Amino acid sequence: MLKFVFWSLLAVNGVLFAYGQGYLGKFKEGEREPARLKAQLNADKLALISPAQAESAASQAKEDAAAAERAAKEPPTACLEIGDFEATAAKKFETQLASLALGDKQTRINVPVMEVNQHVVFIPPQGSKEAADRKANELRNLGITNYYVISDNSSLRWGISLGVFKSEAAAQTLLAALNKQGVHSARVTGRGPTTNKFAYQFRNIDAGVKAQLTRFEAGYQDTDIRSCK
C-alpha cells in the first residue's frame, strides 16, 4: 500500500512539473477549442480549397507569369491608331484612356468623313473647258445626250456628270449600260456632306498598354486598330 501511494504521488508531481515547464501547453482559464476558434482573426472568412482548385490557381498564376514575361520581351509599338469615333463615343473612350495616364504618348486627330447620300456616274476631270467640250462631243457621237459638263469649283471641275442616284446599285446599272455603248472612262463616286470624327494615335507603347487599348476598342462599333507613322 505504501508503495502505491509513493508512486502515485511521484506521478502527480511529475505531471505538475511538466505543466509548470509548459510541456503540456498553456491554457487560460475558461479557454476551450470553440473559444480559441472565435478568437482567430477573420475566422468567418476561412475556406477550404480542394486540390483541383489549388492546381487551377497555380496553373493560372503560371500562365499570367508567362504572359507577363512575353510582354516584357515584346518591343514597343512605334505608332498605333484607333478610330474613327463619333463625338459621344470619343468622350467615353477618352474616359477609359485616362486610367492609362499616357501623357504625350497619346494624340487625338480629326478625321473628315463624308456621309454619302448620293452616287454620281461621271467622267473624270479633263483639265480644261476645251478638253471637257471635246469629251462631250465624243459622247454625242455615241448617241449619249444626258450629261452636263461640271464647271463649279469642286474636285470634279471639268469632268462630265452622266447621272446622280440615291442608291449605288442604280448608279452601277447606268455605268454598265454606258460601257456597252462604248463609254469606258466613266466611274461611280459617292457624294454628300463631310463631318468630323476622331481617331487616337499612341506612340512607343509597350505590350501591356497595347493589350489594354485592344480591349477598350473591342467595346465600340465601326472602329478599328491600324498602324500609323
Side-chain angles (χ1 to χ4, degrees), residues 74-220:
E74 186 176 330
T77 299
C79 188
L80 183 76
E81 183 173 302
I82 302 179
D84 300 319
F85 295 88
E86 301 281 358
T88 301
K91 185 176 181 180
K92 178 183 175 182
F93 188 60
E94 288 181 10
T95 300
Q96 293 175 297
L97 293 178
S99 64
L100 301 180
L102 296 177
D104 58 5
K105 292 184 177 182
Q106 170 187 322
T107 306
R108 188 178 80 173
I109 60 176
N110 293 334
V111 181
V113 177
M114 179 184 293
E115 302 292 340
V116 177
N117 56 19
Q118 292 180 333
H119 300 272
V120 182
V121 181
F122 73 105
I123 293 175
Q126 300 300 299
S128 66
K129 182 179 183 305
E130 292 74 15
D133 288 341
R134 286 195 296 270
K135 178 60 69 173
N137 187 55
E138 293 177 12
L139 293 175
R140 286 194 298 272
N141 291 336
L142 292 173
I144 299 168
T145 58
N146 188 19
Y147 66 86
Y148 72 89
V149 175
I150 303 171
S151 58
D152 60 19
N153 290 321
S154 70
S155 60
L156 297 182
R157 180 178 172 85
W158 304 131
I160 299 176
S161 175
L162 297 164
V164 180
F165 302 88
K166 288 186 176 180
S167 74
E168 185 177 5
Q172 292 293 345
T173 297
L174 175 60
L175 182 63
L178 289 170
N179 285 335
K180 290 180 179 180
Q181 289 179 269
V183 181
H184 301 293
S185 59
R187 303 287 184 270
V188 174
T189 187
R191 186 169 69 182
T194 299
T195 60
N196 268 335
K197 290 189 177 182
F198 304 96
Y200 296 83
Q201 292 184 345
F202 307 92
R203 299 183 183 278
N204 298 318
I205 56 174
D206 61 35
V209 171
K210 182 178 179 181
Q212 188 63 60
L213 291 172
T214 301
R215 285 192 287 270
F216 288 164
E217 187 275 335
Y220 297 87

Side-chain angles (χ1 to χ4, degrees), residues 19 24-33 35-36 39:
Y19 175 76
L24 300 180
K26 295 184 179 295
F27 302 97
K28 296 180 181 179
E29 182 179 356
E31 185 180 34
R32 295 293 185 271
E33 187 64 20
R36 287 198 295 155

